[in-house]
Amino acid sequence: MPPATTSSKSLPVFCAAACVAISTVSLLGWAAGIDWLTSFAPGLPRLVPMTAILFLLAGLALWSQTRASAPRSAPGVAAAALVAAGAVAILGSHAAQQVSAPFALGVDSYAFTLSSPVTAAMFLALGASLACMPWPRALRWGQWLALGLLLMALLTLAGYVFRDTFLYALLPGKGTSIPTTLAFILLALGVLALRPAEGMMVAVHGPGPSAWVTRRLLLSALAVPVLLGAAIGFALHLDMIDVGTAIAFLVWGMVALFTAVVWIFALVLQRYDAARRQAEREREAALEALREADARKDDFMALLAHELRNPLAPIRAAAEFLKLGNCDPAQMRRTSDIIKRQTDYMVHLVEDLLDVSRARRGLIALDKVPVDLVDAVGDAVEQVKPQMARRGHRLEVDLPERHPSVLGDHKRLVQVVANLLGNAAKYTPEGGHVRLQLRADDKRIEVEVRDDGIGIDAALLPRVFDSFTQGTRTAGRAEGGLGLGLALVKRLAELHGGDVTADSAGNGQGSTFVLTLPRMQGMPDGQPGARVAARLPLRS
């Protein structure tokens, strides 16, 4: 049996303590001769010492079971057994219409009378319930007995509302006092709360929707009839209504209660059903996303193997050529250039992989200083010039007259612009046109890279900045790559407090990427320098 947690023990401990307090106050009242400590009002049944003693034993039995280390302790089990045995002895004495040992005290006094038969029967149920709780196989029976005791105690309490009725004569009139009834209610609640995650209590315990609904239905089912019955009893007591009207009101109230409960239950079920359907849709979407990610991962692994194998072939051929040992200096330089170019390409692939990994783990550190963005654009253009020259692209650069500044990492900003230009060159056929424009206002700077290449399919556009995402390779696009450049652009732009967006009218319509960065305030714009103007293609 799992141990009871601290939170689940608080209610049983409180109920046990309250029951012991009621019993102790009653015994003090008998000892001191203070009648109001044994009954709520003159003329009503009183809590007799025999009942108080049994309540003390029941409180001890309940408290002992709240201790996780010893729910089956000998004192607790013995106390529960004494409660049940005492109840059986009292019922036997009432049945024989005489007081037998150990209750024959030889004193003719109300203080030493037996508990009423109704009270004894309730003690029998309470003792049996407490005796069942430590044992997993009998726990559910103990909870059912506690629930029955709770309902019986509530009915007895209701009997005090209807004083001049058969109900009062049947239950409270037999000698079951209000303090006795309240103590039974406390003990029954304590027993039910003793193992909230086991037995029949699992239906009302926990944060699940079924438990949530059950708790509220039970609260309505218990509270509304009691309040309705109290109101009708009060009206009858004041002669405001007759018995027939009271019965009609009671029937109508119960019908209204069950109608409302069923309706509320249906609405709650509908809400949870809608939430379940939404959760299923989200789960299916997540599974589909996982399947797509897994497929992209497989494609990426195949692409990575291909991209790493391509430069190895010329390197291997160059190594075989060098082994011959009869090459002149010119051939040696050409062979060295081949090896350097291919190894540089492999280093670039590895650096992209490492950058994406660092970006995902938040390990990229920026060395932020005031950066002339036109200067950064110029460095980026220098990097991509050889790539564009090989494919015969025409690069047009449109710069403002003054140079706006941003607070950022110069090296990373060059990397962002170079990746955007390299992406445009990669997807633009030979002889195509690439245009870079830098715009600035008081608060932000935009770098727009536009090409007239193959464009971006509408289905690919929402995922264009995801890692390992690439367009279809064509005969006119042979630059390779792993599909990491744009993902890195997106992350670096966000680290600079900016963003990047992509747009395309569709296949064959070219594409446009716009990098947006916050402009550095309070920094005077730089003048266009001769070095930058000399190396950038001017606006035509």
Side-chain angles (χ1 to χ4, degrees):
M1 178 182 298
T5 62
T6 302
S7 58
S8 66
K9 291 192 298 182
S10 57
L11 181 57
V13 168
F14 168 78
C15 293
C19 179
V20 169
I22 292 173
S23 304
T24 304
V25 168
S26 176
L27 289 174
L28 290 175
W30 285 107
I34 305 175
D35 292 345
W36 60 269
L37 292 179
T38 61
S39 179
F40 271 43
L44 294 180
R46 302 162 69 184
L47 196 159
V48 299
M50 182 58 62
T51 301
I53 293 172
L54 291 178
F55 275 137
L56 288 174
L57 292 173
L60 172 63
L62 178 60
W63 174 79
S64 67
Q65 293 191 34
T66 61
R67 295 184 297 164
S69 59
R72 302 177 186 173
S73 63
V77 174
L82 285 175
V83 171
V88 171
I90 293 172
L91 289 173
S93 298
H94 281 291
Q97 294 184 348
Q98 63 179 1
V99 180
S100 59
F103 307 107
L105 302 178
V107 180
D108 187 14
S109 170
Y110 183 77
F112 294 95
T113 57
L114 295 178
S115 305
S116 70
V118 173
T119 302
M122 296 169 76
F123 270 122
L124 179 59
L126 177 61
S129 175
L130 288 168
C132 290
M133 293 304 293
W135 312 98
R137 293 185 178 181
L139 182 141
R140 184 172 299 224
W141 291 105
Q143 291 173 336
W144 279 113
L145 285 172
L147 180 60
L149 175 62
L150 176 62
L151 296 176
M152 187 66 180
L154 290 174
L155 183 62
T156 304
L157 193 61
Y160 280 95
V161 178
F162 302 93
R163 291 287 301 275
D164 300 325
T165 63
F166 175 73
L167 178 62
Y168 179 82
L170 179 65
L171 296 176
K174 297 294 186 180
T176 304
S177 66
I178 293 179
T180 300
T181 306
L182 294 177
F184 276 126
I185 292 174
L186 288 170
L187 289 170
L189 290 174
V191 172
L192 290 173
L194 198 57
R195 302 284 184 267
E198 302 173 57
M200 72 178 218
M201 292 302 293
V202 295
V204 296
H205 176 72
S210 60
W212 185 89
V213 172
T214 305
R215 285 195 297 269
R216 277 145 186 82
L217 290 178
L218 284 176
L219 182 62
S220 300
L222 290 174
V224 174
V226 170
L227 295 176
L228 183 62
I232 293 176
F234 183 73
L236 285 172
H237 180 71
L238 297 179
D239 293 329
M240 298 173 61
I241 57 175
D242 54 45
V243 175
T245 304
I247 294 175
F249 271 127
L250 186 61
V251 171
W252 174 86
M254 298 305 295
V255 170
L257 165 66
F258 286 113
T259 301
V261 165
V262 171
W263 209 293
I264 293 172
F265 183 71
L267 290 175
V268 171
L269 286 182
Q270 188 275 335
R271 185 165 67 248
Y272 279 111
D273 187 57
R276 179 185 56 79
R277 290 195 299 269
Q278 178 64 24
E280 289 179 352
R281 287 192 293 268
E282 293 175 354
R283 184 191 63 181
E284 289 299 325
L287 288 175
E288 182 62 27
L290 285 175
R291 284 191 287 266
E292 291 181 2
D294 186 64
R296 289 201 302 272
K297 181 260 298 179
D298 293 339
D299 293 341
F300 167 74
M301 296 302 296
L303 182 61
L304 178 61
H306 177 76
E307 292 294 332
L308 290 176
R309 185 184 63 182
N310 282 347
L312 290 177
I315 291 175
R316 182 176 181 180
E320 292 292 338
F321 177 76
L322 292 175
K323 285 176 62 177
L324 298 176
N326 56 354
C327 51
D328 56 40
Q331 291 176 324
M332 182 73 72
R333 284 194 300 273
R334 286 195 299 271
T335 303
S336 298
D337 289 342
I338 291 173
I339 294 175
K340 183 179 184 305
R341 185 166 60 251
Q342 299 303 328
T343 54
D344 287 345
Y345 176 72
M346 295 176 69
V347 169
H348 177 70
L349 289 179
V350 173
E351 287 179 346
D352 278 353
L353 284 169
L354 291 175
D355 280 342
V356 170
S357 176
R358 295 189 192 103
R360 285 187 168 186
R361 292 180 293 165
L363 299 180
I364 291 184
L366 300 181
D367 183 16
K368 288 190 175 182
V369 295
V371 177
D372 183 339
L373 197 56
V374 171
D375 194 21
V377 168
D379 291 339
V381 170
E382 288 293 327
Q383 289 188 16
V384 299
K385 268 185 177 180
Q387 180 183 0
M388 291 194 172
R390 286 196 302 270
R391 309 201 63 187
H393 291 151
R394 182 165 63 93
L395 174 62
E396 178 184 355
V397 180
D398 184 1
L399 301 176
E401 293 184 359
R402 305 188 69 85
H403 295 189
S405 298
V406 298
L407 183 64
D409 189 315
H410 179 89
K411 176 184 175 182
R412 293 299 186 180
L413 289 172
V414 171
Q415 184 179 9
V416 168
V417 179
N419 279 359
L420 290 176
L421 289 171
N423 183 77
K426 188 184 300 183
Y427 292 98
T428 300
E430 293 183 1
H433 177 220
V434 178
R435 183 173 186 271
L436 184 148
Q437 182 182 21
L438 192 150
R439 303 184 294 266
D441 57 25
D442 293 338
K443 295 184 178 180
R444 63 181 185 175
I445 305 172
E446 290 184 348
V447 180
E448 179 183 279
V449 177
R450 184 188 300 269
D451 63 67
D452 57 2
I454 64 174
I456 305 174
D457 186 82
L460 183 64
L461 196 58
R463 299 187 290 106
V464 73
F465 292 106
D466 293 348
S467 298
F468 319 130
T469 298
Q470 285 189 323
T472 304
R473 295 198 175 200
T474 63
R477 192 214 122 194
E479 294 295 331
L482 298 176
L484 300 174
L486 292 181
L488 195 56
V489 165
K490 181 76 169 179
R491 182 56 183 155
L492 290 175
E494 292 172 348
L495 289 175
H496 282 86
D499 195 14
V500 61
T501 58
D503 188 36
S504 176
N507 292 327
Q509 303 297 315
S511 57
T512 302
F513 290 83
V514 179
L515 169 68
T516 304
L517 297 170
R519 185 170 185 171
M520 190 174 180
Q521 302 299 316
M523 185 76 178
D525 293 337
Q527 298 292 336
R531 182 175 68 87
V532 176
R535 69 184 178 190
L536 295 183
L538 298 178
R539 179 179 179 181
S540 57

